[in-house]
Amino acid sequence: MAKLAQPGSAQKRQKDGSRASLKGGRFADKASGSTSDKELMRRAKPRRDPWQVMPTDQAPEGASSPDARPVLRFQATKRSKPPAHLADFDLAGRKQMLKEAGFPPFRADQLSRHYFTHLTTDPHQMSDLPATGREKLAELAFPQLVQQVVERSGDQGMTHKYLWRLFDGAEVESVLMRYPSRATLCISCEVGCGMACPFCATGQMGLTRNLSTAEIVEQVRLARKVCQEGELGGDPCHLSNVVFMGMGEPMVNYRAVLGAIRRLIAEPPEGFGMSARGITVSTVGLVPGIRKLTEEKIPVTLAISLHAPDDELRDELIPINSRFQVSELLDAAYDYFKATGRRVSIEYALIKNMNDQAWRAGLLADLLNARGHGWAHVNPIPLNPTPGSIWTASESHAQAEFVDTLERKGITTTIRDTRGQDIDGACGQLATKSRKERTGK
């Protein structure tokens, strides 16, 4: 788990000449003494906005009480540990696992090939293994970790959403989407989430437990099999992209997520051999985790779930902002770009009259440009229209003005293609519905 800094603490700043240094939150740019982020926020905010909606105006999405307020949780409420699985280990670890169980270590290569290349855990398909010990080997290496509970299809068969039941009865989701040039899988890394973002269904579930590396990797193996067998869109395709944007905060479950990334990018038979550039890790802003990922120097894409450029709103919208504020978060994201050369994605869910004002688009552009140009790409995300709720989609004219403001200030912007609206495609919806049906809560 990523170790969290204490509220108000700051990470040590790099002091190379290519980076504007920070003192008291102020950029001392060598070209011109640029204004501090706090000053940019103060200047951007209008004196009065009668239409401004705040997250505290309504209970969090899915809350059972009108008085409910977001509560951050970093400790899991469930401590059950899944059985060890071949995908939990690198190749050396797999050999050691087999050796300790009384099997020849060289079988690790064969088992890995079946799992990562042939995408199977069925011992009957492993004819290169001795018939007498085949089932015991498969039972040891591939205990069942996930079981499909629900599969829903939408977008003319181009989107599949899955609800998976884990070994202990907990449930998580993944969404598989096919596009003209790629197939993308959105995966979960935790049961629930402790970040308590009030507009997110998963955030209201709280954190039940972290997934193991193998539980994460299994979602990918099963999706690759669906693509290979032509079940996504009617003909075979290749799973090219994996995004950690499902249930859970990846930086809280850092160790397992990093292990899963290594399995995804390792060459067969140690892993799937995917390109690191096809993998995206999203975070609401746990700066220590971003710093650790930067040190790994694995060129995955970092996505920041920002959703507000000013601390006043983001403190309420993204509770972790009270520990790691916008300036510190964007500094860490910029340093990630410098270390990896990978442009950072800024995720921004547009919420009517809450965060979709043109002045906030201008402030976001100014904050990004203060650190450099071309290092970040903004993805505005349209919400589903929800009449009667503050957590509803922006008006089309507000969305257009928001995007236009960013683009006029030189920020590359792409409105996120939303999928699965007809199949409870948003994060946590299916799992929340299943839990209510099972428990009545």
Side-chain angles (χ1 to χ4, degrees), residues 137-430:
L137 265 172
E139 184 180 335
L140 171 68
F142 309 123
Q144 186 173 29
L145 299 180
V146 304
Q147 181 180 2
Q148 183 179 307
V149 179
V150 177
E151 177 185 2
R152 292 186 179 177
S153 178
D155 303 309
Q156 291 78 50
M158 296 296 186
T159 301
H160 289 204
K161 181 158 189 176
Y162 302 92
L163 181 66
W164 305 105
R165 184 162 296 146
L166 307 179
F167 82 102
D168 56 356
E171 293 177 343
V172 295
E173 305 170 349
S174 61
V175 183
L176 183 57
M177 299 158 283
R178 184 167 182 176
Y179 300 90
S181 60
R182 70 187 190 280
T184 298
L185 175 68
C186 178
I187 59 175
S188 296
C189 64
E190 293 181 315
V191 180
C193 180
M195 296 297 97
C197 300
F199 59 92
C200 175
T202 305
Q204 307 321 305
M205 296 172 67
L207 175 59
T208 299
R209 71 170 176 88
N210 292 325
L211 268 60
S212 67
T213 290
E215 287 175 318
I216 298 170
V217 173
E218 264 289 85
Q219 296 173 66
V220 180
R221 180 186 72 87
L222 292 166
R224 288 176 73 90
K225 195 170 183 181
V226 167
C227 292
Q228 187 181 84
E229 295 177 355
E231 297 175 16
L232 183 66
D235 60 311
C237 61
H238 175 65
L239 180 65
S240 54
N241 296 72
V242 172
V243 296
F244 286 82
M245 293 184 177
M247 296 170 63
E249 165 56 52
M251 298 305 179
V252 170
N253 193 15
Y254 184 88
R255 187 174 180 178
V257 166
L258 182 62
I261 291 171
R262 294 196 186 283
R263 304 298 172 270
L264 267 56
I265 65 176
E267 289 300 320
E270 189 162 357
F272 293 120
M274 295 183 68
S275 169
R277 295 175 180 271
I279 299 169
T280 298
V281 178
S282 178
T283 177
V284 294
L286 275 75
V287 170
I290 297 173
R291 296 291 185 192
K292 287 177 70 175
L293 188 63
T294 302
E295 292 171 3
E296 307 289 350
K297 292 194 167 49
I298 303 173
V300 299
T301 297
L302 174 68
I304 303 297
S305 294
L306 190 68
H307 307 308
D310 55 308
D311 290 320
E312 182 180 2
L313 176 58
R314 198 169 192 270
D315 281 349
E316 303 291 343
L317 195 58
I318 310 291
I320 195 65
N321 198 72
S322 62
R323 299 196 184 191
F324 309 109
Q325 296 203 313
V326 171
S327 293
E328 189 175 1
L329 173 56
L330 293 182
D331 286 346
Y334 179 74
D335 288 343
Y336 183 86
F337 162 76
K338 287 203 306 176
T340 65
R342 297 292 293 157
R343 188 169 62 173
V344 175
S345 291
I346 305 295
E347 308 298 305
Y348 200 105
L350 289 169
I351 307 170
K352 182 180 178 180
N353 293 334
M354 188 178 295
N355 66 351
D356 61 351
Q357 300 87 350
W359 71 265
R360 282 197 162 97
L363 173 58
L364 174 57
D366 291 343
L367 291 171
L368 298 177
N369 286 333
R371 289 159 172 81
H373 296 278
W375 69 274
H377 176 276
V378 176
N379 286 319
I381 307 167
L383 290 188
N384 291 336
T386 310
S389 172
I390 65 170
W391 312 109
T392 193
S394 297
E395 301 285 354
S396 58
H397 67 85
Q399 177 178 295
E401 187 178 10
F402 192 93
V403 171
D404 181 63
T405 302
L406 287 168
E407 291 180 337
R408 281 190 288 105
K409 286 178 172 280
I411 303 299
T412 306
T413 307
T414 305
I415 296 175
R416 170 87 69 82
D417 177 30
T418 55
R419 288 286 193 99
Q421 293 185 9
D422 55 337
I423 55 172
D424 292 324
C427 179
Q429 286 185 336
L430 203 54

Side-chain angles (χ1 to χ4, degrees), residues 87-142:
D88 283 317
F89 306 100
D90 59 15
L91 196 55
R94 295 167 205 169
K95 291 178 178 179
Q96 184 63 30
M97 178 181 72
L98 292 178
K99 182 179 179 181
E100 291 175 358
F103 292 99
F106 71 85
R107 297 291 181 202
D109 185 86
Q110 294 170 298
L111 290 165
S112 298
R113 204 171 299 280
H114 285 295
Y115 185 84
F116 288 103
T117 303
H118 303 304
L119 308 177
T120 185
T121 60
D122 183 359
H124 298 100
Q125 297 182 26
M126 302 177 186
S127 57
D128 59 337
L129 297 177
T132 52
R134 192 181 300 166
E135 291 195 10
K136 285 187 177 181
L137 265 172
E139 184 180 335
L140 171 68
F142 309 123

